[in-house]
């Protein structure tokens, strides 16, 4: 059954998209690709996407490393580390264009900073600088989450040995600490580069007509020109650089040796490897970034409770009245899809993870790879692939809720899969073998022994599917219809119609709801039995 589902909702859509892109009259042809590349605007979009992705990857990885290094090497009190975590949490649980809206409020023609504070009139917030800044602030927390455990795994003993040989702090950092983080840095860059390539909403709001990028061009190709073949080709162009960067990262990391956890060392040293002056600079830099994030979200909250930001700052709740009346259908539809997708995504992730980790059958690794494909691909590619595959008979699903639920389940359940595999590696097979020896069947053993131990992975899957159901747009923008509307789509419509107040109110509502649900899931995780660290692993995944 799992293979049938993976074939239907992962393999078949991608095959349909490639068939649409490179088949002409039933024969393979590069003519569609050449015709798309012949247009200067599309060539510019591809180059702009590469430049933007590279810049976001480099700068975002640097900011993420700054936060991770400060959290692990500056011996900060626990409450300060928690403040860093809160600052990085907000962009992860909010719609991807929340920072874009706040940038318009800050630096637009009537922006708080440009117009109100500096008195500059007619400012243009659109283009590469604002798009780059918004994406860096949105995605650098991914690099932080990827790099923090890497730095924590580099024990203080390694650095202490370098100090004992007479090295300075800077030399230890340059020749010991930094080289050992190469796998994490490469992985963080890859994640951010892919996230930028896939980002649809931020460039649509901030890039403007002078800085086209591939996701927005693919969207306009389909929705404006009704050209599915052109949209499929542009999606293929998105896939090529992501694959190249992935292979380059694998080659670069594979050349070195980065083992730091051998199981042979004793207690790790808590040696302070940062001077007081450097600590002050690092904390100040992190504080500046964190305060910038908090400012943007505070500005968003303020804009949601004033009549018209930049013109009339009288307090009002009319924007919330609008979203709970005119926008009620979007809220109800989004919650229905989210609460259907949550248990399905959590269960699917656990089942695939269990079979991959414990099963003995042919094609086990192929199943793991197939389950990860939609997660690894840019959302624009997945959305266009689903649109092409399920728009016509024999499997016509577009316009309904099922296709949106399927998109969320097969795109975001891999978090539960990876967490299940990680947890099962910590659980001795002897526990399950003891159950079998007492006469229990495979299903009873799974239900009464294994499943309770991997419940943290199930809840991790629930958290991710819910968060993405409330915040994602790059894939589902192609799948919504009159019958089923999502909150993120309504926010985007409000932005294009310059209804900034309702857009801000919708964003605040989503953030509050996601924080409430994820807090409830975290509270449940703390009560669950499991191997040591299971709750923290699942919480990180969620």
């Amino acid at each position: 059954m799992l293979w049938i589902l993976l074939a239907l909702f992962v393999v078949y859509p991608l095959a349909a998209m490639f068939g649409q892109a490179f088949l002409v009259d039933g024969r393979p042809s590069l003519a569609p690709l050449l015709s798309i590349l012949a247009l200067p605007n599309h060539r510019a979009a591809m180059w702009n996407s590469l430049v933007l992705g590279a810049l976001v990857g480099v700068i975002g990885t640097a900011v993420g490393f700054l936060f991770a290094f400060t959290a692990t090497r500056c011996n900060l009190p626990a409450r300060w580390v928690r403040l860093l975590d809160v600052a990085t949490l907000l962009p992860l649980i909010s719609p991807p264009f929340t920072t874009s809206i706040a940038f318009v409020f800050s630096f637009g023609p009537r922006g708080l900073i440009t117009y109100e504070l500096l008195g500059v009139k007619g400012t243009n917030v659109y283009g590469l600088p604002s798009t780059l800044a918004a994406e860096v602030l949105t995605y650098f927390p991914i690099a932080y989450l990827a790099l923090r455990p890497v730095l924590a795994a580099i024990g203080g003993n390694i650095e202490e040995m370098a100090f004992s040989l007479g090295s300075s702090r800077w030399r230890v950092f340059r020749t010991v600490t930094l080289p050992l983080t190469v796998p994490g840095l490469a992985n963080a860059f890859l994640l951010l580069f892919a996230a930028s390539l896939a980002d649809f909403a931020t460039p649509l709001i901030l890039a403007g007509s002078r800085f086209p990028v591939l996701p927005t061009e693919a969207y306009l190709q389909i929705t404006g020109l009704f050209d599915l073949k052109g949209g499929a080709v542009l999606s293929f162009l998105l896939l090529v650089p992501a694959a190249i960067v992935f292979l380059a990262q694998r080659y670069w990391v594979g050349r070195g040796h980065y083992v730091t956890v051998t199981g042979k060392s004793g207690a790790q040293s808590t040696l302070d490897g940062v001077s007081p002056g450097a600590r002050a600079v690092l904390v100040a830099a992190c504080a500046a970034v964190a305060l910038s994030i908090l400012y943007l979200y505070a500005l968003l909250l303020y804009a949601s409770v004033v009549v018209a930001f930049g013109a009339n700052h009288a307090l009002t709740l009319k924007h919330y009245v609008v979203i709970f009346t005119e926008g009620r259908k979007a809220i109800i539809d989004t919650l229905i899809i989210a609460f259907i997708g949550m248990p399905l995504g959590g269960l699917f992730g656990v089942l695939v993870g269990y079979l991959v980790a414990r099963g003995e059958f042919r094609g086990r690794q192929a199943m793991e790879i197939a389950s990860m494909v939609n997660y690894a691909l840019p959302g624009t590619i997945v959305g266009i692939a689903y649109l092409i595959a399920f728009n016509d008979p024999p499997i016509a699903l577009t316009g309904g809720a099922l296709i949106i639920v399927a998109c969320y389940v097969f795109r975001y359940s891999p978090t539960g899969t990876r967490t299940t595999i990680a947890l099962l590696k910590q659980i001795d097979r002897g526990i399950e073998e003891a159950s079998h020896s007492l006469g229990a069947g495979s299903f009873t053993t799974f239900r009464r022994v294994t499943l309770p131990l991997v419940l943290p992975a199930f809840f991790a899957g629930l958290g991710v599917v819910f968060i993405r159901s409330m915040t994602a747009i790059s894939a589902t923008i192609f799948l919504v219809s009159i019958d089923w509307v999502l909150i993120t789509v309504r926010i985007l419509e409000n932005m294009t119609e310059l209804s900034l107040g309702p857009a801000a109110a919708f964003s605040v509502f989503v953030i509050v709801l996601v924080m409430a649900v994820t807090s409830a899931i975290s509270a449940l995780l703390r009560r669950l039995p499991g191997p040591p660290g299971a709750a923290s692993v699942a919480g990180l995944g969620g």
Side-chain angles (χ1 to χ4, degrees):
M1 287 301 299
L2 291 179
W3 266 123
I4 291 173
L5 291 172
L6 289 171
L8 179 60
F9 291 107
V10 177
V11 179
Y12 170 63
L14 292 177
M17 188 192 75
F18 280 106
Q20 181 75 267
F22 297 107
L23 290 179
V24 178
D25 297 328
R27 296 181 179 179
S29 173
L30 294 178
L33 176 62
L34 297 177
S35 63
I36 286 292
L37 291 177
L39 298 176
N41 198 56
H42 290 158
R43 293 198 302 271
M46 184 173 182
W47 174 250
N48 291 341
S49 295
L50 295 175
V51 171
L52 180 63
L55 290 175
V56 170
V58 171
I59 299 174
T61 300
V63 177
F65 182 84
L66 169 69
F67 271 67
F69 188 81
T70 303
T72 58
R73 289 296 188 272
C74 289
N75 293 332
L76 297 178
R79 64 179 182 275
W80 289 105
V81 177
R82 284 196 295 270
L83 285 176
L84 292 181
D85 291 339
V86 169
T88 57
L89 174 68
L90 283 172
L92 293 177
I93 65 170
S94 57
F97 37 70
T98 301
T99 51
S100 306
I101 301 174
F103 262 72
V104 174
F105 288 147
S106 295
F107 306 107
R110 305 284 294 187
L112 178 63
I113 293 178
T114 53
Y115 182 81
E116 298 289 343
L117 295 181
L118 301 179
V120 179
K121 299 180 179 180
T123 55
N124 183 9
V125 70
Y126 307 103
L128 174 61
S130 57
T131 306
L132 174 61
E135 288 196 357
V136 167
L137 289 178
T138 300
Y139 296 122
F140 90 86
I142 300 174
Y144 169 65
L145 292 178
L147 290 169
R148 183 173 171 180
V150 173
L151 283 167
I154 302 174
N157 292 347
I158 299 175
E159 295 168 336
E160 185 177 15
M161 285 187 287
F163 282 122
S164 68
L165 294 174
S167 290
S168 63
R169 286 188 171 93
W170 168 246
R171 183 176 177 83
V172 170
F173 171 78
R174 182 172 56 84
T175 61
V176 177
T177 308
L178 191 59
L180 288 173
T181 61
V182 165
L185 292 171
N187 185 49
F189 175 84
L190 173 66
L191 291 171
L192 267 63
F193 183 83
S196 177
L197 279 182
D199 192 355
F200 159 81
T202 303
L204 192 64
I205 294 174
L206 289 179
S209 58
R210 295 184 179 179
F211 192 77
V213 292
L214 282 176
T216 56
E217 288 297 301
Y219 171 73
L220 296 174
Q221 194 79 16
I222 290 177
T223 60
L225 301 177
F226 304 103
D227 181 9
L228 285 177
K229 186 175 289 292
V233 173
L234 289 171
S235 297
F236 171 76
L237 293 178
L238 266 176
L239 181 60
V240 172
I244 292 174
V245 170
F246 173 75
L247 294 175
Q249 178 247 14
R250 290 288 298 271
Y251 171 75
W252 180 35
V253 173
R255 295 171 60 190
H257 184 70
Y258 308 97
V259 173
T260 60
V261 181
T262 63
K264 299 179 181 179
S265 58
Q268 291 295 327
S269 170
T270 57
L271 183 68
D272 188 1
V274 179
S275 66
R279 181 186 295 107
V281 172
L282 291 172
V283 172
C286 289
V289 176
L291 289 175
S292 298
I293 295 173
L294 295 176
Y295 156 76
L296 292 176
Y297 283 87
L299 187 62
L300 192 72
L301 175 62
Y302 178 70
S304 72
V305 295
V306 298
V307 174
F309 187 86
N312 186 348
H313 288 187
L315 296 179
T316 181
L317 293 177
K318 72 172 188 177
H319 301 311
Y320 289 94
V321 174
V322 169
I323 70 171
F324 288 116
T325 53
E326 298 176 13
R328 182 169 56 186
K329 176 175 172 51
I331 293 175
I332 294 174
D333 289 351
T334 303
L335 289 176
I336 290 174
I337 290 172
F339 283 113
I340 292 175
M342 277 176 65
L344 294 178
L347 181 61
F348 183 81
V350 168
L351 288 176
V352 173
Y354 174 76
L355 288 178
V356 169
R358 289 290 195 258
E360 297 292 340
F361 59 94
R362 292 183 179 180
R364 185 164 56 94
Q365 292 183 342
M367 175 176 283
E368 180 182 9
I369 293 171
S371 69
M372 296 293 296
V373 167
N374 278 5
Y375 183 77
L377 290 175
T380 306
I381 293 178
V382 177
I384 292 178
Y386 271 50
L387 177 64
I388 293 172
F390 302 119
N391 196 45
D392 299 307
I395 311 175
L397 301 178
T398 53
L402 176 59
I403 189 172
I404 302 176
V405 172
C407 180
Y408 287 144
V409 168
F410 291 93
R411 180 156 166 74
Y412 300 116
S413 61
T415 297
T417 300
R418 300 307 307 171
T419 310
T420 300
I421 294 172
L423 291 179
L424 287 174
K425 287 182 178 179
Q426 296 177 296
I427 300 171
D428 190 348
R429 287 178 180 265
I431 299 176
E432 295 159 298
E433 292 170 358
S435 175
H436 287 299
S437 68
L438 293 174
S442 298
F443 180 75
T444 302
T445 300
F446 174 77
R447 179 174 59 87
R448 301 190 62 182
V449 178
T450 309
L451 187 59
L453 291 173
V454 297
L455 274 180
F458 174 73
F459 281 100
L462 292 187
V464 170
V465 173
F466 181 80
I467 291 172
R468 296 310 177 193
S469 297
M470 299 298 299
T471 62
I473 189 174
S474 59
T476 50
I477 187 66
F478 301 97
L479 307 177
V480 295
S481 64
I482 297 176
D483 296 328
W484 292 91
V485 183
L486 301 178
I487 292 176
T488 49
V489 176
R490 284 301 306 270
I491 295 174
L492 190 60
E493 291 174 353
N494 287 329
M495 288 298 298
T496 56
E497 297 167 1
L498 297 181
S499 300
L500 303 183
F506 264 127
S507 299
V508 172
F509 170 75
V510 169
I511 294 170
V512 171
L513 184 61
V514 168
M515 290 182 69
V517 173
T518 52
S519 297
I521 291 176
S522 297
L524 284 173
L525 280 172
R526 287 192 292 269
R527 296 174 179 268
L528 291 177
S536 62
V537 171
L540 181 62

